[in-house]
Amino acid sequence: MPVRTSEANWKGDLKHGQGTVHLGSGAWEGQYNFSSRFESGKGSNPEELLAAAHAGCFSMALSAGLSGAGFTVESIHTAAKVKVELVGAGFEITGIELITEANIPGIDKETFDKIAAATKEGCPVSKALKAVPIRLDAKLV
């Protein structure tokens, strides 16, 4: 299996410095700083990238689980919200919310919920983030 890489460069102190993040695939590069990470400033941040990774992983894993159970997957859309807060003297990721909507013909809500819950526990990014509470809101559309 391949090893995925990304890189970050940072210059300056925490409050006034700035950095760039580069995905190893070359698909994206962006800047980040204190304001974009802990306030509402322009730029990206590690938590946003983590949310993208989790949303993508969950959607693919849910598709695999549903397909493996014999269902046809028409579409899955997942948004991930990663919450970062000041806790004591430092910042922590305190929770992740996955919000997914799926169009799966012929599936009942109970079966869908069961597969979605198993996916939340089993997707590789969820497994890597087990130290953080992960909440799932899964809907059929």
Side-chain angles (χ1 to χ4, degrees):
M1 295 297 291
V3 174
R4 306 299 181 195
T5 62
S6 291
E7 297 179 9
N9 295 301
W10 185 264
K11 293 181 181 179
D13 66 18
L14 175 64
K15 290 261 183 161
H16 306 311
Q18 60 185 352
T20 55
V21 176
H22 310 266
L23 299 188
S25 66
W28 184 82
E29 176 180 321
Q31 68 88 23
Y32 70 113
N33 55 52
F34 186 88
S35 177
S36 70
R37 188 162 188 203
F38 301 116
E39 298 168 349
S40 296
K42 285 187 174 185
S44 188
N45 55 71
E47 291 75 22
E48 177 180 60
L49 298 172
L50 189 61
H54 205 174
C57 183
F58 180 84
S59 289
M60 288 182 75
L62 182 57
S63 176
L66 291 163
S67 297
F71 296 98
T72 299
V73 176
E74 290 201 4
S75 66
I76 297 171
H77 174 267
T78 304
K81 297 179 180 181
V82 174
K83 187 173 186 179
V84 63
E85 297 180 290
L86 182 62
V87 177
F91 290 93
E92 293 183 16
I93 294 173
T94 58
I96 299 170
E97 182 179 11
L98 296 171
I99 303 123
T100 194
E101 294 182 344
N103 184 349
I104 315 298
I107 194 169
D108 61 85
K109 179 73 171 138
E110 183 179 343
T111 302
F112 174 72
D113 286 346
K114 182 179 176 183
I115 294 170
T119 301
K120 180 190 84 132
E121 299 302 319
C123 93
V125 174
S126 288
K127 287 180 180 179
L129 299 173
K130 283 201 180 280
V132 178
I134 301 170
R135 189 176 89 68
L136 174 63
D137 178 8
K139 295 180 179 134
L140 285 170
V141 293

